[in-house]
Amino acid sequence: MSVHAHRSARIGLILLLGAGLSACGSFDSASNRIAGMVTPYKVEVVQGNVVTREQVEALQPGMSRQQVKEILGTPLMTSLFHADRWDYVFTLKRPGIEAQSRKLTVFFKGDTFDRVEGDEMPTEAEFVATLGTSRRSKVTSKVPPLEATPEQLAKYPKASTATLPQPADSAVPPPPSSYPPLESTTR
């Protein structure tokens, strides 16, 4: 490559970079408004254990750690240095709304529940109400019933075991009407 061709390539590259940099500054308010209308979808983030007032009220002094865990769930934080306490932290982050955070500390004496300290927990209904956003409420303003009414059930004939087809091999016994418990009742 000759010196002249090399110099021309260098000048062309400088002109191309200059044009590219000048194009970066050509955004005006109209193009900024258009770019501002296109926003990515941001999800609601629930972190930690949701603990409701009803769950806290179900705790009774003297309960075992396992019973507390069955009511509140697994604690978010446990410490080897503070084995007599469990910490439950809950945070709800939604776009455009300040993050909600609630903390609850459960104290034990030995292996039995002693007391609870922390923020006032919402009722289950209050928590569900905070999850509703304006976008979601426009789409689904009414929750459909999750149970069939007696009138709806009357439309369908009752199935009896006599109308079910019998297996070709009659040596197979019918299934049991009740099953043994999955776990032993003695501990």
Side-chain angles (χ1 to χ4, degrees):
M1 184 182 249
S2 72
V3 175
H4 183 63
H6 188 60
R7 185 176 291 165
S8 297
R10 189 181 299 168
I11 291 173
L13 181 62
I14 290 172
L15 289 174
L16 183 64
L17 285 173
L21 288 175
S22 68
C24 289
S26 67
F27 279 108
D28 60 354
S29 64
S31 48
N32 282 336
R33 279 182 284 162
I34 292 171
M37 291 186 330
V38 179
T39 58
Y41 176 73
K42 295 181 182 178
V43 298
E44 295 180 356
V45 179
V46 178
Q47 295 177 321
N49 300 36
V50 177
V51 177
T52 64
R53 188 175 308 151
E54 292 87 356
Q55 290 172 301
V56 175
E57 290 171 354
L59 298 175
Q60 300 295 322
M63 287 182 154
S64 70
R65 289 178 185 256
Q66 182 61 34
Q67 289 171 319
V68 172
K69 192 181 283 187
E70 288 172 2
I71 293 173
L72 299 180
T74 304
L76 185 63
M77 293 181 283
T78 57
S79 171
L80 292 174
F81 301 108
H82 302 285
D84 61 339
R85 68 183 265 179
W86 287 351
D87 293 305
Y88 291 85
V89 180
F90 160 75
T91 305
L92 173 63
K93 294 180 183 177
R94 295 184 290 169
I97 298 175
E98 187 177 333
Q100 300 175 14
S101 183
R102 304 268 168 92
K103 298 172 186 160
L104 185 77
T105 303
V106 178
F107 292 94
F108 294 93
K109 282 189 179 176
D111 281 336
T112 59
F113 171 72
D114 181 41
R115 70 184 194 285
V116 66
E117 293 178 3
D119 300 332
E120 183 177 340
M121 296 296 140
T123 65
E124 188 173 328
E126 290 170 346
F127 173 72
V128 170
T130 63
L131 295 179
T133 62
S134 61
R135 184 182 308 162
R136 186 180 300 146
S137 62
K138 289 178 186 174
V139 175
T140 58
S141 59
K142 184 179 177 186
V143 177
L146 301 177
E147 238 177 62
T149 63
E151 293 81 23
Q152 291 171 329
L153 292 174
K155 294 179 184 177
Y156 301 99
K158 291 188 177 184
S160 66
T161 55
T163 60
L164 294 176
Q166 298 298 322
D169 183 15
S170 61
V172 177
S177 60
S178 66
Y179 295 93
L182 295 175
E183 294 182 6
S184 172
T185 56
T186 59
R187 289 189 177 198

